Amino acid sequence: MLRSALTALALVCSAANLFAATAARSALPEITSLAAVRALGEQEARLGFPVHVRAVVTYFDPASPDLFVQDATAGIWVGWKPDLPEPHVGQLLDLRAVTTVSNFAPELKDASWTVAGTSALPEPRHPSYEEMAGADEDSLWVSVEGTVRQAEYVHPTAHERTLWMDLVIPGGRIDAQIPWRDGWIVPAHLTGSRVRIRGVCGAEFNARDQMTGVVIYVPSLDQVSVLEAAPPEPFAQPAMPIGLLQRYGDRNPIGRRLKLAGIVTAVLPETGFYMADDSGSILVRSRQNHQFEPGDRVEALGFVQLSPARVTLEDAFSRKIASGRPLLPRGVTTEQAASGRFDSELVRIDGLVVGNSHLPNQQALSIQQNGTVFVAAYTHAPRASEIPQPGSSVSVSGVCVDETDVFGRVLSFRILTSPGGVHLLRKPSWWTLTRVLGLTGVLGAALALGFTWVLVLRRRVREQTATIRQQLAEQANLKNAAEAANRAKGEFLANVSHEIRTPMNAVLGFTELLSQTKLTEEQREYLTAVQFSARALMRQLDELLDFSRVEAGSVTLEHTEFSVRECLSRAMGLIAPDAARKSLATALEIAPQVCDRLVGDPYRLQQILLNLLNNAVKFTEAGSIRVSVSVAEATPASELLEFLVEDTGIGIPDEAQRRIFESFQQGDGSTTRKYGGTGLGLAICSRLVALFGGTIWVVSEPGFGSRFCFTARFAHALTNTAAETPADALPGVTQ
Ligand code: ADP
């Protein structure tokens, strides 16, 4: 009957939905039973049907806030806000509200009520676990019997504070929560007791609105009655060796509340802790907020749970017996750790840190040993100095936790490490990848810079080389031009000198002829002057011609066999008249080592000697002129002779000594005025001496005479007779 009415109502609602989705709420029919509300579909409930029911308050907790009411047909959750009055469990409300949906089932909002009186709580239903896990029992007053595995004070959010219980009932496990009253302490006798609880059946949801379990909203401790009390002193029972839990045998530990005793090896906040005794290690899970530390001796009461990976103690209640030193870990390799034999055990593994990760609630290191990488997770928030840099060698101590597949096969393992569990063995090498890359970059940049610099330098060098080449070419051109000009000048001088010589020869010839004719005394005097000047002019022309030929490089030495003595004697003979005229004594000294027969150019040698001798006569007013020759250096094939022409004349000042071997240079201006001359004689001498492979120099002091020296190289003649012709046998030579 009720169901057909609801179906009709649903049809009406669907029609209303179709034709007037935005119809005014007042146009919707009022629902007067909670069963009719709960029968609404999700879309329908959202339309906001007005509801008017008379229902009893079954649960109220302003902290969450949660308010459940139940009428004769069903129970429902009602949205409560602090501006509403606080109802009491057991009050009968004349309730007006509007339908809505927030999870999976319809609920009520915008509630207002009047208290119609007090009512007995509904007769409880006795659903099975499976029934409670379905939607049919949702929000209904139920009675459940089971064993309390844990009873704890919890406050999941800042406002919510509840006494939370975990019960094992036939078919499964459920939670129960009782609004926390100030001044309560957790009733210790509940844990381990068999109890009956009454409350509103509800569901637990996760963040994705998925149902995760059954929860009974128990309005107060009055609704909890102990059917069978737990042993008064649960810790009085003997502790069971941890190792025995994993053994298959007579003493089946499942379902019984057991006591374990051991030493804490790691503490996992919000989860529990690992403990070990002489026989083994185990993870103890507990919602208890304990302050244990590794090394603490503890006792734990709890329920054994088996899984493929490990045996654990669940819903434990534990207490500390004494403090102590942490246990020593057992050194293992990664292969051993991954074998599954060390799960939950305290171990130590050495390795290289290859990375570290920061998860919101956990800091972890990735560590490598022999090619295997595992994770070492800190059970606490480590200080920055506790976290080794990647590349460090470390020794990690902690509890080994295997991750297994459904068959219990080990897939990987982690090490849960407590404070002080990571020991730095060696700091990372300075050569980290980042640094190597950085340095490579810097070196690369430097190389690129260097390369660019080299390129720039090369370009500059090329440019400068081109400039220098161009300058050299220009200089060579200039030099060629200068040489050509010099040659042209030389040729011009030679030509001109030659051209002047021809008529001068005629002048000399005819003056000679004229001198042989009959002349008056006066005419003869004039003619003599003409002859003197003509001869002087001829000499100067000869010098000019000679010099230009030497300059033009057209003078080459002859190689004829000659007598040095003869050559010297002849030169002395030629100046003898002039010397005699000035009453100058002359002397010739020839060292006995000097070979007489030599090969060379006697004419040019004589020219050098005559130049020097003429100068000696010219610049000496009184005294003597001395010529000597000696061997400066001799080889089997040739000898270098050193000639010396010495006078007692006016001498040459120091500064003039350096210039006189250059062409057209004379000692000083007064010399020219007093002695005449062209300044070419010594220039010719120095160039001829160079042709002879020798050098020329002068030693002189003004007022004390001059000493001109030069060397010249001659080859030995095949027929050599030393001192063949004695110098004193020659005419005009005084010794
Ligand atoms: P010049 O035709 O003028 O003599 P030289 O080249 O032969 O040209 O000589 C150059 C100059 O050297 C002379 O003008 C003179 O001043 C100086 N000189 C050369 N020989 C002597 C010497 N024996 N004593 C002093 N002065 C000399």
Side-chain angles (χ1 to χ4, degrees):
M1 177 63 191
L2 179 69
R3 194 155 294 280
S4 60
L6 285 172
T7 315
L9 188 62
L11 279 172
V12 169
C13 294
S14 303
N17 229 354
L18 277 172
F19 295 112
T22 56
R25 195 173 289 168
S26 59
L28 293 169
E30 185 176 80
I31 302 176
T32 53
S33 83
L34 292 180
V37 175
R38 297 209 48 120
L40 294 176
E42 199 180 320
Q43 296 294 328
E44 297 157 347
R46 274 188 215 288
L47 288 174
F49 284 88
V51 177
H52 185 195
V53 291
R54 199 168 258 253
V56 65
V57 177
T58 49
Y59 183 89
F60 176 64
D61 181 1
S64 358
D66 285 310
L67 169 60
F68 285 95
V69 297
Q70 186 170 334
D71 71 357
T73 61
I76 201 159
W77 185 88
V78 182
W80 182 87
K81 290 185 188 126
D83 53 350
L84 287 169
E86 290 197 6
H88 299 293
V89 174
Q91 278 182 333
L92 186 64
L93 306 182
D94 186 50
L95 178 75
R96 289 180 186 277
V98 175
T99 62
T100 186
V101 171
S102 63
N103 287 319
F104 70 97
E107 55 193 46
L108 297 181
K109 64 173 184 179
D110 302 338
S112 62
W113 62 79
T114 54
V115 179
T118 318
S119 164
L121 287 167
E123 192 55 32
R125 299 165 60 82
H126 299 275
S128 67
Y129 177 78
E130 285 76 14
E131 285 168 335
M132 285 192 286
D136 284 350
E137 300 298 323
D138 185 60
S139 304
L140 285 175
W141 185 254
V142 295
S143 173
V144 181
E145 288 178 16
T147 306
V148 179
R149 291 181 58 155
Q150 213 173 354
E152 284 295 334
Y153 161 72
V154 295
H155 59 109
T157 67
H159 311 290
E160 289 178 85
R161 303 183 318 147
T162 57
L163 174 63
W164 170 89
M165 285 192 288
D166 181 15
L167 285 101
V168 178
I169 65 167
R173 291 176 62 173
I174 60 169
D175 287 345
Q177 66 177 58
I178 307 173
W180 187 261
R181 300 271 182 270
D182 285 337
W184 273 12
I185 51 163
V186 178
H189 67 280
L190 286 180
T191 307
S193 298
R194 190 172 151 68
V195 296
R196 179 194 299 128
I197 59 167
R198 288 190 173 144
V200 179
C201 180
E204 283 175 328
F205 299 93
N206 64 12
R208 286 175 285 162
D209 277 352
Q210 293 164 332
M211 186 178 167
T212 56
V214 174
V215 60
I216 307 295
Y217 295 92
V218 182
S220 70
L221 259 184
D222 305 343
Q223 302 299 333
V224 180
S225 41
V226 176
L227 304 177
E228 192 184 317
E233 268 302 328
F235 281 110
Q237 63 175 303
M240 188 158 183
I242 294 171
L244 267 191
L245 297 178
Q246 288 108 328
R247 298 278 171 272
Y248 186 72
D250 296 339
R251 299 175 64 189
N252 177 12
I254 308 297
R256 287 195 292 129
R257 199 175 189 214
L258 297 172
K259 179 182 149 187
L260 301 177
I263 295 171
V264 174
T265 52
V267 179
L268 313 181
E270 315 291 332
T271 302
F273 58 91
Y274 281 88
M275 64 186 281
D277 67 6
D278 294 341
S279 62
S281 302
I282 193 166
L283 169 63
V284 179
R285 274 192 229 272
S286 166
R287 296 203 187 193
Q288 218 182 330
N289 186 21
H290 27 55
Q291 304 288 323
F292 297 161
E293 282 181 15
D296 285 350
R297 293 173 185 282
V298 294
E299 287 180 342
L301 293 164
F303 300 85
V304 166
Q305 181 166 309
L306 304 178
S307 76
R310 61 187 64 87
V311 176
T312 53
L313 193 71
E314 301 289 322
D315 302 319
F317 181 74
S318 30
R319 65 180 187 182
K320 177 171 160 181
I321 305 300
S323 299
R325 293 175 67 83
L327 289 176
L328 283 177
R330 182 165 163 191
V332 294
T333 62
T334 47
E335 288 79 27
Q336 289 171 320
S339 68
R341 286 186 288 118
F342 292 91
D343 181 73
S344 306
E345 298 273 346
L346 195 60
V347 297
R348 194 193 70 241
I349 308 187
D350 296 347
L352 188 75
V353 178
V354 291
N356 47 36
S357 63
H358 311 255
L359 293 168
N361 294 319
Q362 195 171 50
Q363 174 92 36
L365 302 173
S366 296
I367 297 175
Q368 187 188 47
Q369 189 207 63
N370 296 337
T372 305
V373 176
F374 64 92
V375 169
Y378 291 89
T379 57
H380 57 291
R383 293 190 309 277
S385 58
E386 252 184 279
I387 305 169
Q389 293 298 310
S392 309
S393 289
V394 291
S395 175
V396 180
S397 303
V399 172
C400 178
V401 181
D402 291 337
E403 193 188 317
T404 60
D405 61 13
V406 289
F407 301 107
R409 288 182 297 222
V410 179
L411 300 173
S412 64
F413 69 89
R414 286 186 305 144
I415 303 294
L416 299 178
T417 180
S418 305
V422 178
H423 289 279
L424 184 68
L425 299 178
R426 187 164 43 82
K427 282 191 170 174
S429 157
W430 189 87
W431 293 99
T432 59
L433 184 63
T434 323
R435 288 207 169 113
V436 167
L437 286 179
L439 265 183
T440 314
V442 169
L443 281 180
L447 264 180
L449 209 70
F451 192 67
T452 317
W453 182 236
V454 166
L455 284 183
V456 169
L457 278 184
R458 274 176 61 119
R459 215 183 59 198
R460 275 196 201 162
V461 166
R462 225 178 291 135
E463 283 170 5
Q464 285 184 356
T465 310
T467 312
I468 290 168
R469 277 212 189 106
Q470 193 185 344
Q471 285 174 350
L472 284 176
E474 281 169 9
Q475 280 175 6
N477 285 342
L478 285 175
K479 190 176 163 224
N480 286 343
E483 280 174 0
N486 207 27
R487 260 198 312 277
K489 181 193 77 183
E491 277 167 23
F492 171 77
L493 273 178
N495 288 342
V496 169
S497 313
H498 187 73
E499 289 305 315
I500 297 171
R501 271 169 67 92
T502 315
M504 278 306 294
N505 272 331
V507 171
L508 278 176
F510 282 112
T511 47
E512 186 61 37
L513 286 176
L514 192 60
S515 70
Q516 289 166 12
T517 59
K518 199 167 180 247
L519 297 169
T520 65
E521 199 57 30
E522 194 180 4
Q523 283 171 331
R524 188 160 297 279
E525 196 179 319
Y526 293 159
L527 187 63
T528 309
V530 169
Q531 273 181 323
F532 182 78
S533 299
R535 277 198 204 99
L537 190 61
M538 273 303 270
R539 258 201 321 275
Q540 285 175 359
L541 279 175
D542 282 347
E543 273 190 356
L544 210 57
L545 192 63
D546 246 16
F547 177 73
S548 43
R549 285 174 61 197
V550 170
E551 276 288 271
S554 56
V555 171
T556 49
L557 296 185
E558 279 179 23
H559 290 278
T560 52
E561 194 176 317
F562 73 102
S563 160
V564 181
R565 284 176 179 76
E566 268 176 32
C567 183
L568 283 166
S569 302
R570 202 174 307 118
M572 290 294 279
L574 284 174
I575 58 119
D578 289 340
R581 210 172 297 129
K582 294 175 92 173
S583 308
L584 300 174
T586 58
L588 171 64
E589 293 166 17
I590 298 173
Q593 297 81 9
V594 176
C595 288
D596 188 45
R597 304 297 299 176
L598 292 171
V599 175
D601 193 329
Y603 168 72
R604 293 295 177 186
L605 176 62
Q606 185 176 311
Q607 189 181 355
I608 299 168
L609 287 166
L610 272 179
N611 262 330
L612 298 178
L613 282 168
N614 277 327
N615 279 348
V617 173
K618 187 159 79 174
F619 295 108
T620 308
E621 295 309 323
S624 62
I625 292 166
R626 190 173 70 92
V627 175
S628 73
V629 59
S630 59
V631 178
E633 180 192 304
T635 67
S638 69
E639 57 189 50
L640 187 73
L641 298 184
E642 183 177 317
F643 296 88
L644 179 133
V645 178
E646 194 180 32
D647 63 52
T648 54
I650 59 170
I652 308 164
D654 265 0
E655 71 279 7
Q657 288 178 21
R658 280 186 289 275
R659 292 187 276 109
I660 53 174
F661 294 104
E662 293 165 23
S663 51
F664 307 108
Q665 293 294 333
Q666 295 182 315
D668 56 45
S670 60
T671 314
T672 321
R673 281 190 300 277
K674 190 170 176 187
Y675 301 99
T678 54
L680 281 177
L682 290 180
I684 292 170
C685 283
S686 95
R687 282 159 182 72
L688 289 177
V689 166
L691 287 177
F692 273 105
T695 50
I696 184 167
W697 69 97
V698 64
V699 182
S700 176
E701 202 178 328
F704 292 96
S706 310
R707 177 188 284 190
F708 281 86
C709 304
F710 71 94
T711 54
R713 186 173 292 282
F714 299 95
H716 288 137
L718 292 174
T719 54
N720 215 345
T721 49
E724 197 176 66
T725 315
D728 50 5
L730 290 168
V733 175
T734 53
Q735 303 258 332

